Coordinates of all heavy atoms in Angstrom, one line a residue:
A1 N -173.0 31.7 33.6 CA -173.9 32.8 33.2 C -173.2 33.7 32.2 O -172.0 33.9 32.3 CB -174.2 33.6 34.5
P2 N -173.9 34.2 31.2 CA -173.2 35.1 30.3 C -172.8 36.4 30.9 O -173.5 36.9 31.7 CB -174.3 35.3 29.2 CG -175.6 35.0 29.9 CD -175.3 34.0 31.0
L3 N -171.7 36.9 30.4 CA -171.2 38.1 30.9 C -172.0 39.3 30.3 O -172.4 39.2 29.2 CB -169.7 38.3 30.6 CG -168.8 37.4 31.3 CD1 -167.4 37.4 30.7 CD2 -168.7 37.8 32.7
P4 N -172.2 40.4 31.1 CA -172.9 41.5 30.5 C -172.1 42.2 29.4 O -170.9 42.2 29.5 CB -173.1 42.4 31.8 CG -172.0 42.1 32.7 CD -171.7 40.6 32.4
P5 N -172.7 42.8 28.4 CA -171.9 43.4 27.4 C -171.2 44.6 27.9 O -171.8 45.3 28.8 CB -173.0 43.9 26.3 CG -174.3 43.9 27.1 CD -174.2 42.9 28.2
Q6 N -170.0 44.9 27.5 CA -169.2 46.0 28.1 C -169.2 47.2 27.1 O -168.5 48.2 27.4 CB -167.8 45.5 28.4 CG -167.7 44.6 29.6 CD -166.3 44.0 29.7 OE1 -165.9 43.3 28.8 NE2 -165.6 44.2 30.8
E7 N -169.9 47.1 26.0 CA -169.7 48.1 25.0 C -169.9 49.5 25.6 O -169.1 50.4 25.3 CB -170.8 47.9 23.9 CG -170.3 47.2 22.7 CD -170.8 45.8 22.7 OE1 -172.0 45.6 22.9 OE2 -170.0 44.8 22.5
H8 N -171.0 49.7 26.4 CA -171.4 51.1 26.7 C -170.8 51.6 28.0 O -170.8 52.8 28.2 CB -172.9 51.3 26.6 CG -173.4 50.8 25.3 ND1 -173.1 51.4 24.1 CD2 -174.3 49.8 25.0 CE1 -173.7 50.7 23.1 NE2 -174.4 49.8 23.6
E9 N -170.5 50.7 28.9 CA -170.1 51.2 30.2 C -168.6 51.6 30.2 O -167.8 50.9 29.7 CB -170.4 50.2 31.3 CG -170.0 48.7 30.9 CD -170.6 47.8 31.8 OE1 -171.8 47.5 31.8 OE2 -169.8 47.1 32.5
K10 N -168.4 52.8 30.7 CA -167.0 53.3 30.8 C -166.3 52.7 32.1 O -167.0 52.6 33.1 CB -167.0 54.8 31.0 CG -167.1 55.6 29.7 CD -165.9 56.5 29.6 CE -166.0 57.5 28.5 NZ -166.1 56.9 27.1
P11 N -165.1 52.3 32.0 CA -164.4 51.8 33.2 C -164.1 53.0 34.1 O -164.1 54.1 33.7 CB -163.1 51.2 32.6 CG -162.9 51.9 31.3 CD -164.2 52.2 30.8
P12 N -163.9 52.7 35.4 CA -163.5 53.8 36.3 C -162.2 54.4 35.8 O -161.5 53.8 35.1 CB -163.4 53.1 37.7 CG -163.2 51.6 37.3 CD -163.9 51.4 36.1
A13 N -162.0 55.6 36.2 CA -160.8 56.4 35.8 C -159.5 55.7 36.1 O -158.6 55.8 35.3 CB -160.8 57.8 36.4
I14 N -159.5 54.9 37.1 CA -158.3 54.2 37.5 C -157.8 53.2 36.4 O -156.7 53.1 36.2 CB -158.6 53.3 38.8 CG1 -158.8 54.2 40.0 CG2 -157.5 52.3 39.0 CD1 -159.3 53.6 41.2
A15 N -158.8 52.7 35.6 CA -158.4 51.8 34.5 C -157.6 52.5 33.4 O -156.9 51.9 32.7 CB -159.7 51.3 33.9
N16 N -157.6 53.9 33.5 CA -156.7 54.6 32.5 C -155.2 54.6 33.0 O -154.5 55.4 32.4 CB -157.2 56.0 32.3 CG -158.6 55.9 31.7 OD1 -159.0 55.0 31.1 ND2 -159.4 57.0 31.9
A17 N -154.9 53.8 34.0 CA -153.5 53.5 34.3 C -152.9 54.4 35.4 O -153.0 54.2 36.6 CB -152.7 53.4 33.1
E18 N -152.3 55.5 34.9 CA -151.2 56.2 35.8 C -151.8 57.0 36.9 O -151.0 57.3 37.8 CB -150.4 57.1 34.9 CG -149.0 56.7 34.8 CD -148.8 56.2 33.4 OE1 -149.5 55.2 33.0 OE2 -147.9 56.7 32.7
L19 N -153.1 57.3 37.0 CA -153.5 58.4 37.8 C -153.7 58.1 39.3 O -154.3 58.9 40.0 CB -154.7 59.1 37.2 CG -154.4 59.7 35.8 CD1 -155.6 60.2 35.2 CD2 -153.3 60.7 35.9
R20 N -153.4 56.9 39.7 CA -153.5 56.6 41.1 C -152.2 56.9 41.9 O -151.2 56.6 41.4 CB -153.8 55.1 41.4 CG -155.3 54.9 41.5 CD -155.5 53.4 41.8 NE -154.7 52.6 40.8 CZ -154.6 51.3 40.9 NH1 -155.2 50.7 41.8 NH2 -154.0 50.6 40.0
I21 N -152.3 57.6 43.0 CA -151.1 57.9 43.7 C -151.2 57.3 45.1 O -152.2 57.4 45.8 CB -151.0 59.5 43.8 CG1 -150.9 60.0 42.4 CG2 -149.8 59.9 44.6 CD1 -150.4 61.4 42.3
N22 N -150.1 56.7 45.5 CA -150.0 56.1 46.8 C -149.5 57.1 47.8 O -149.2 58.3 47.5 CB -149.3 54.8 46.9 CG -147.8 55.0 46.6 OD1 -147.3 56.2 46.7 ND2 -147.1 54.0 46.3
G23 N -149.3 56.8 49.1 CA -148.9 57.7 50.1 C -147.6 58.5 49.8 O -147.4 59.6 50.2
K24 N -146.7 57.8 49.1 CA -145.4 58.4 48.9 C -145.3 59.2 47.7 O -144.2 59.6 47.2 CB -144.3 57.3 48.9 CG -144.3 56.5 50.2 CD -143.0 55.6 50.2 CE -143.0 54.7 51.4 NZ -144.1 53.7 51.4
G25 N -146.4 59.5 47.1 CA -146.4 60.3 45.9 C -145.9 59.6 44.6 O -145.7 60.2 43.6
K26 N -145.8 58.3 44.7 CA -145.4 57.5 43.5 C -146.6 57.1 42.8 O -147.6 56.7 43.4 CB -144.7 56.2 44.0 CG -143.2 56.2 44.2 CD -142.5 55.7 42.9 CE -141.1 55.3 43.1 NZ -140.1 56.4 43.1
K27 N -146.5 57.2 41.5 CA -147.7 56.8 40.6 C -147.7 55.3 40.6 O -146.7 54.6 40.3 CB -147.5 57.4 39.2 CG -147.8 58.9 39.2 CD -147.7 59.4 37.8 CE -148.0 60.8 37.7 NZ -148.0 61.4 36.4
L28 N -148.9 54.7 40.8 CA -149.1 53.3 40.6 C -149.6 53.0 39.2 O -150.7 53.5 38.9 CB -150.1 52.8 41.7 CG -149.6 52.9 43.1 CD1 -150.8 52.3 44.0 CD2 -148.4 52.1 43.4
R29 N -148.9 52.2 38.5 CA -149.4 51.9 37.1 C -150.2 50.6 37.2 O -149.9 49.8 38.1 CB -148.2 51.7 36.2 CG -147.5 52.9 35.8 CD -146.3 52.4 35.0 NE -145.6 53.6 34.5 CZ -145.6 53.9 33.2 NH1 -146.1 53.1 32.4 NH2 -144.9 55.0 32.8
K30 N -151.1 50.4 36.3 CA -151.6 49.1 36.1 C -150.6 48.2 35.5 O -149.8 48.7 34.7 CB -152.8 49.1 35.2 CG -154.1 49.4 35.8 CD -155.3 49.2 34.9 CE -155.6 47.8 34.7 NZ -156.5 47.5 33.6
P31 N -150.4 47.0 35.9 CA -149.4 46.2 35.3 C -149.5 46.1 33.8 O -150.7 46.1 33.3 CB -149.5 44.8 36.0 CG -150.8 44.8 36.7 CD -151.2 46.2 36.9
R32 N -148.5 46.0 33.2 CA -148.4 45.9 31.7 C -149.2 44.6 31.2 O -149.0 43.5 31.8 CB -147.0 45.8 31.3 CG -146.9 45.7 29.8 CD -145.4 45.7 29.4 NE -145.3 45.3 28.1 CZ -144.2 45.3 27.3 NH1 -143.1 45.8 27.9 NH2 -144.2 44.9 26.1
T33 N -150.1 44.8 30.2 CA -150.8 43.6 29.7 C -149.9 42.7 29.0 O -149.1 43.1 28.2 CB -151.9 44.1 28.7 OG1 -152.7 45.2 29.4 CG2 -152.8 43.0 28.3
I34 N -150.1 41.4 29.3 CA -149.3 40.4 28.6 C -150.3 39.7 27.7 O -151.3 39.1 28.1 CB -148.7 39.3 29.5 CG1 -147.9 40.0 30.6 CG2 -147.8 38.3 28.8 CD1 -146.7 40.8 30.2
Y35 N -150.1 39.8 26.4 CA -151.0 39.2 25.4 C -150.6 37.8 25.1 O -149.4 37.5 25.0 CB -151.0 40.1 24.1 CG -151.5 41.5 24.3 CD1 -150.6 42.5 24.5 CD2 -152.8 41.8 24.3 CE1 -151.1 43.8 24.7 CE2 -153.3 43.1 24.5 CZ -152.4 44.1 24.7 OH -152.8 45.4 24.8
S36 N -151.6 36.9 25.0 CA -151.3 35.5 24.6 C -150.9 35.5 23.1 O -151.2 36.4 22.3 CB -152.5 34.6 24.8 OG -153.5 34.9 23.8
S37 N -150.2 34.5 22.7 CA -149.8 34.4 21.3 C -151.0 34.4 20.4 O -150.9 34.9 19.3 CB -148.9 33.1 21.1 OG -149.5 32.0 21.6
L38 N -152.1 33.8 20.8 CA -153.3 33.7 20.1 C -153.9 35.1 19.9 O -154.3 35.5 18.8 CB -154.3 32.9 20.8 CG -155.2 32.0 19.8 CD1 -154.5 30.8 19.4 CD2 -156.5 31.6 20.5
Q39 N -153.9 35.9 20.9 CA -154.4 37.3 20.9 C -153.5 38.1 19.9 O -154.0 38.8 19.1 CB -154.4 37.9 22.3 CG -155.4 37.4 23.1 CD -155.3 37.8 24.6 OE1 -154.2 38.1 25.1 NE2 -156.4 37.9 25.4
L40 N -152.1 38.0 20.1 CA -151.2 38.7 19.2 C -151.4 38.4 17.7 O -151.4 39.2 16.9 CB -149.8 38.5 19.6 CG -149.4 39.1 20.9 CD1 -148.0 38.7 21.4 CD2 -149.4 40.6 20.8
Q41 N -151.6 37.1 17.5 CA -151.8 36.6 16.1 C -153.0 37.3 15.5 O -153.0 37.8 14.4 CB -152.0 35.1 16.2 CG -151.7 34.4 14.9 CD -152.0 32.8 15.0 OE1 -152.2 32.4 16.1 NE2 -152.1 32.2 13.9
A42 N -154.1 37.3 16.3 CA -155.4 37.9 15.8 C -155.2 39.4 15.6 O -155.6 39.9 14.6 CB -156.5 37.6 16.8
L43 N -154.5 40.0 16.5 CA -154.3 41.5 16.5 C -153.5 41.9 15.3 O -153.8 42.7 14.5 CB -153.7 42.0 17.8 CG -154.6 42.1 19.0 CD1 -153.8 42.2 20.3 CD2 -155.6 43.2 18.9
N44 N -152.4 41.1 15.1 CA -151.4 41.4 13.9 C -152.2 41.2 12.6 O -151.9 41.9 11.7 CB -150.2 40.6 14.1 CG -149.2 41.2 15.1 OD1 -148.8 42.3 14.9 ND2 -148.8 40.4 16.0
Q45 N -152.9 40.1 12.5 CA -153.7 39.7 11.4 C -154.6 40.9 11.0 O -154.7 41.3 9.8 CB -154.4 38.4 11.6 CG -154.3 37.4 10.5 CD -154.9 36.1 10.9 OE1 -155.5 35.9 12.0 NE2 -154.8 35.1 10.0
R46 N -155.3 41.3 12.0 CA -156.3 42.4 11.8 C -155.6 43.7 11.3 O -156.1 44.5 10.5 CB -157.1 42.6 13.1 CG -158.3 43.4 12.9 CD -159.2 42.8 11.8 NE -160.4 43.5 11.6 CZ -161.5 43.3 12.3 NH1 -161.6 42.5 13.3 NH2 -162.6 44.1 12.0
F47 N -154.4 43.9 12.0 CA -153.7 45.1 11.6 C -153.2 45.1 10.1 O -153.1 46.2 9.5 CB -152.4 45.3 12.5 CG -151.7 46.6 12.4 CD1 -152.1 47.7 13.0 CD2 -150.6 46.7 11.6 CE1 -151.5 48.9 12.8 CE2 -149.9 47.8 11.4 CZ -150.3 49.0 12.1
Q48 N -152.9 43.9 9.6 CA -152.5 43.8 8.2 C -153.7 44.1 7.3 O -153.4 44.7 6.2 CB -152.0 42.4 7.9 CG -150.6 42.2 8.4 CD -150.1 40.8 8.4 OE1 -150.8 39.9 7.9 NE2 -148.9 40.5 8.9
Q49 N -154.9 43.9 7.8 CA -156.1 44.2 6.9 C -156.3 45.7 7.0 O -156.6 46.3 6.0 CB -157.3 43.4 7.4 CG -157.2 41.9 7.2 CD -158.2 41.2 8.0 OE1 -159.2 41.8 8.6 NE2 -158.1 39.9 8.2
T50 N -156.3 46.2 8.2 CA -156.6 47.6 8.4 C -155.8 48.2 9.6 O -155.8 47.5 10.6 CB -158.1 47.9 8.5 OG1 -158.3 49.3 8.8 CG2 -158.7 47.1 9.6
Q51 N -155.3 49.4 9.5 CA -154.6 50.0 10.6 C -155.5 50.7 11.6 O -155.1 51.1 12.7 CB -153.5 50.9 10.1 CG -152.4 50.2 9.4 CD -151.2 51.2 9.1 OE1 -151.1 52.3 9.6 NE2 -150.5 50.7 8.1
Y52 N -156.8 51.0 11.1 CA -157.7 51.7 12.0 C -159.0 50.8 12.1 O -159.5 50.4 11.2 CB -158.0 53.0 11.4 CG -156.8 54.0 11.4 CD1 -155.9 53.9 10.3 CD2 -156.7 54.8 12.5 CE1 -154.8 54.8 10.4 CE2 -155.6 55.7 12.5 CZ -154.7 55.7 11.5 OH -153.5 56.5 11.5
L53 N -159.4 50.7 13.4 CA -160.7 50.0 13.7 C -161.8 50.9 13.9 O -161.6 51.9 14.7 CB -160.5 49.1 14.9 CG -159.6 47.8 14.7 CD1 -159.6 47.1 16.1 CD2 -160.1 46.9 13.6
A54 N -163.0 50.7 13.3 CA -164.2 51.4 13.7 C -164.6 50.9 15.1 O -164.3 49.8 15.5 CB -165.3 51.3 12.7
L55 N -165.4 51.7 15.8 CA -165.8 51.3 17.1 C -166.5 49.9 17.2 O -166.1 49.1 18.1 CB -166.8 52.4 17.7 CG -166.1 53.6 18.2 CD1 -167.1 54.7 18.5 CD2 -165.3 53.3 19.5
P56 N -167.4 49.6 16.3 CA -168.1 48.2 16.4 C -167.0 47.1 16.2 O -167.1 46.1 16.8 CB -169.1 48.2 15.3 CG -169.2 49.6 14.8 CD -168.0 50.4 15.2
E57 N -166.1 47.4 15.3 CA -165.0 46.4 15.0 C -164.1 46.2 16.2 O -163.8 45.1 16.6 CB -164.2 46.9 13.8 CG -164.9 47.0 12.5 CD -164.0 47.6 11.4 OE1 -163.2 48.6 11.7 OE2 -164.2 47.3 10.3
R58 N -163.8 47.3 16.9 CA -163.0 47.2 18.1 C -163.7 46.5 19.2 O -163.1 45.6 19.8 CB -162.7 48.7 18.5 CG -161.7 48.6 19.7 CD -161.3 50.0 20.1 NE -162.3 50.6 21.0 CZ -162.3 51.9 21.2 NH1 -161.5 52.8 20.7 NH2 -163.3 52.3 22.1
A59 N -165.0 46.7 19.3 CA -165.8 46.1 20.3 C -165.8 44.6 20.1 O -165.7 43.8 21.0 CB -167.2 46.7 20.4
E60 N -166.0 44.2 18.8 CA -166.1 42.9 18.4 C -164.8 42.1 18.6 O -164.8 41.0 19.2 CB -166.6 42.8 16.9 CG -167.0 41.4 16.5 CD -167.2 41.3 15.0 OE1 -167.4 42.4 14.3 OE2 -167.3 40.2 14.5
L61 N -163.8 42.7 18.2 CA -162.4 42.1 18.3 C -162.1 41.9 19.8 O -161.6 40.8 20.2 CB -161.4 43.0 17.6 CG -160.0 42.4 17.5 CD1 -160.0 41.1 16.7 CD2 -159.1 43.4 16.9
A62 N -162.4 42.9 20.6 CA -162.1 42.8 22.0 C -162.8 41.7 22.7 O -162.3 40.9 23.4 CB -162.4 44.2 22.7
A63 N -164.1 41.6 22.3 CA -165.0 40.5 22.8 C -164.5 39.1 22.4 O -164.4 38.2 23.2 CB -166.4 40.7 22.4
Q64 N -164.1 39.0 21.2 CA -163.6 37.7 20.6 C -162.3 37.3 21.4 O -162.1 36.1 21.6 CB -163.2 37.9 19.1 CG -164.4 37.8 18.2 CD -164.0 38.1 16.8 OE1 -162.8 38.4 16.5 NE2 -165.0 38.1 15.9
L65 N -161.5 38.3 21.7 CA -160.2 37.9 22.2 C -160.1 38.0 23.8 O -159.1 37.7 24.4 CB -159.1 38.9 21.7 CG -158.9 38.9 20.2 CD1 -157.9 39.9 19.7 CD2 -158.5 37.5 19.7
G66 N -161.3 38.4 24.4 CA -161.2 38.5 25.8 C -160.4 39.6 26.4 O -159.8 39.5 27.4
L67 N -160.4 40.7 25.6 CA -159.6 41.9 26.0 C -160.6 43.1 26.2 O -161.7 43.0 25.8 CB -158.6 42.3 24.9 CG -157.5 41.3 24.6 CD1 -156.7 41.7 23.3 CD2 -156.5 41.2 25.8
T68 N -160.2 44.1 26.9 CA -161.0 45.3 26.9 C -160.9 46.1 25.6 O -159.8 46.0 24.9 CB -160.7 46.2 28.1 OG1 -159.4 46.8 27.9 CG2 -160.7 45.5 29.4
Q69 N -161.8 47.0 25.3 CA -161.7 47.8 24.1 C -160.5 48.7 24.3 O -159.8 49.1 23.3 CB -163.0 48.6 24.0 CG -164.2 47.8 23.5 CD -165.3 48.6 23.0 OE1 -165.2 49.5 22.3 NE2 -166.5 48.2 23.5
T70 N -160.2 49.2 25.5 CA -159.1 50.1 25.7 C -157.8 49.4 25.4 O -156.9 49.9 24.7 CB -159.0 50.5 27.2 OG1 -160.3 51.1 27.5 CG2 -157.9 51.5 27.4
Q71 N -157.7 48.1 25.8 CA -156.5 47.3 25.4 C -156.3 47.2 24.0 O -155.2 47.3 23.4 CB -156.5 45.9 26.0 CG -156.3 45.9 27.6 CD -156.6 44.6 28.2 OE1 -157.6 43.9 27.8 NE2 -155.8 44.2 29.2
V72 N -157.4 46.9 23.2 CA -157.3 46.8 21.8 C -157.0 48.2 21.1 O -156.1 48.3 20.3 CB -158.7 46.3 21.2 CG1 -158.7 46.4 19.6 CG2 -158.9 44.9 21.6
K73 N -157.6 49.2 21.6 CA -157.3 50.6 21.1 C -155.8 50.9 21.2 O -155.2 51.4 20.3 CB -158.2 51.6 21.8 CG -158.0 53.0 21.4 CD -158.8 54.0 22.2 CE -158.1 54.3 23.5 NZ -158.8 55.3 24.3
I74 N -155.3 50.7 22.4 CA -153.9 51.1 22.7 C -153.0 50.2 22.0 O -151.9 50.7 21.4 CB -153.7 51.1 24.2 CG1 -154.4 52.3 24.8 CG2 -152.2 51.2 24.5 CD1 -154.3 52.3 26.4
W75 N -153.3 48.9 21.8 CA -152.4 48.1 21.0 C -152.3 48.6 19.6 O -151.2 48.6 19.0 CB -153.0 46.6 21.0 CG -152.0 45.7 20.4 CD1 -151.0 44.9 21.0 CD2 -152.0 45.3 19.0 NE1 -150.4 44.2 20.0 CE2 -150.9 44.4 18.8 CE3 -152.7 45.7 17.8 CZ2 -150.5 43.9 17.6 CZ3 -152.3 45.2 16.6 CH2 -151.3 44.3 16.4
F76 N -153.4 48.9 19.0 CA -153.5 49.5 17.7 C -152.7 50.8 17.6 O -151.9 51.1 16.6 CB -154.9 49.6 17.1 CG -155.3 48.4 16.3 CD1 -155.7 47.3 16.9 CD2 -155.3 48.5 14.9 CE1 -156.2 46.2 16.2 CE2 -155.8 47.4 14.2 CZ -156.1 46.3 14.8
Q77 N -152.8 51.7 18.6 CA -152.1 52.9 18.5 C -150.6 52.6 18.6 O -149.8 53.2 17.8 CB -152.4 53.7 19.8 CG -153.8 54.4 19.7 CD -154.1 55.1 21.1 OE1 -153.5 54.9 22.1 NE2 -155.1 56.0 21.0
N78 N -150.2 51.7 19.5 CA -148.8 51.4 19.6 C -148.2 50.8 18.3 O -147.1 51.1 17.9 CB -148.6 50.5 20.8 CG -148.7 51.2 22.1 OD1 -148.7 52.4 22.2 ND2 -149.0 50.4 23.2
K79 N -149.0 49.9 17.8 CA -148.6 49.2 16.5 C -148.4 50.2 15.4 O -147.5 50.1 14.6 CB -149.7 48.2 16.2 CG -149.3 47.3 15.0 CD -148.2 46.3 15.3 CE -148.0 45.4 14.1 NZ -147.0 44.4 14.4
R80 N -149.4 51.1 15.3 CA -149.3 52.2 14.2 C -148.0 53.0 14.3 O -147.2 53.2 13.4 CB -150.5 53.1 14.2 CG -151.7 52.5 13.6 CD -152.8 53.6 13.3 NE -153.3 54.2 14.5 CZ -154.3 53.8 15.2 NH1 -155.0 52.7 14.8 NH2 -154.8 54.4 16.2
S81 N -147.7 53.4 15.6 CA -146.5 54.2 15.9 C -145.3 53.4 15.5 O -144.3 53.9 14.9 CB -146.6 54.7 17.3 OG -145.4 54.6 17.9
K82 N -145.2 52.1 15.9 CA -144.1 51.3 15.6 C -143.9 51.1 14.1 O -142.8 51.1 13.6 CB -144.3 49.9 16.3 CG -143.1 49.1 16.5 CD -143.6 47.9 17.5 CE -142.5 46.9 17.7 NZ -143.0 45.8 18.5
Y83 N -145.0 50.9 13.4 CA -145.0 50.7 12.0 C -144.5 51.9 11.3 O -143.7 51.8 10.4 CB -146.5 50.4 11.6 CG -146.7 50.1 10.1 CD1 -146.3 48.9 9.5 CD2 -147.3 51.1 9.3 CE1 -146.5 48.7 8.2 CE2 -147.5 50.9 8.0 CZ -147.1 49.7 7.4 OH -147.3 49.5 6.1
K84 N -145.0 53.1 11.7 CA -144.5 54.3 11.0 C -143.0 54.5 11.3 O -142.3 55.0 10.4 CB -145.3 55.5 11.6 CG -146.7 55.6 11.0 CD -147.5 56.8 11.7 CE -148.9 56.8 11.2 NZ -149.8 57.4 12.2
K85 N -142.5 54.2 12.4 CA -141.1 54.3 12.8 C -140.3 53.4 11.8 O -139.3 53.9 11.3 CB -140.9 53.9 14.2 CG -139.7 54.4 14.9 CD -139.9 54.3 16.4 CE -138.6 54.0 17.1 NZ -138.8 53.6 18.5
I86 N -140.8 52.2 11.7 CA -140.0 51.2 10.7 C -140.1 51.8 9.3 O -139.1 51.7 8.6 CB -140.6 49.9 10.9 CG1 -140.4 49.3 12.2 CG2 -140.1 48.9 9.8 CD1 -141.2 48.0 12.6
M87 N -141.3 52.3 8.9 CA -141.4 52.8 7.5 C -140.4 54.0 7.3 O -139.9 54.1 6.2 CB -142.8 53.3 7.2 CG -143.8 52.1 7.2 SD -143.2 50.6 6.4 CE -144.0 50.8 4.8
K88 N -140.3 54.8 8.3 CA -139.4 56.0 8.2 C -138.0 55.6 8.0 O -137.2 56.2 7.3 CB -139.5 56.9 9.5 CG -139.6 58.4 9.2 CD -140.0 59.2 10.3 CE -139.2 59.0 11.5 NZ -139.7 59.9 12.6
Q89 N -137.5 54.5 8.7 CA -136.2 54.0 8.5 C -136.0 53.4 7.1 O -134.8 53.1 6.8 CB -135.9 52.9 9.6 CG -135.8 53.5 11.0 CD -135.8 52.4 12.1 OE1 -135.8 51.2 11.7 NE2 -135.8 52.8 13.3
G90 N -137.1 53.2 6.4 CA -136.9 52.6 5.1 C -137.1 51.1 5.2 O -136.4 50.4 4.6

């Protein structure tokens, strides 16, 4: 059966990672996403074309790669920040 489109539905707040607290007051994080080499290849390739994705582009890329839009968004944010850091070092 085809999966329903995820474009418009917001994930529950828990999906935003840190904000769940267990009994001992420790924050429970979502485990770190491990990207496949194929996903990384596609993300890096796209980043070389453009450092910023429009919403429809992000939705499409996420769907193609089997990732959530949030994962794609954060990967691009992290990549831009890493890229700027490298550029600053010369």
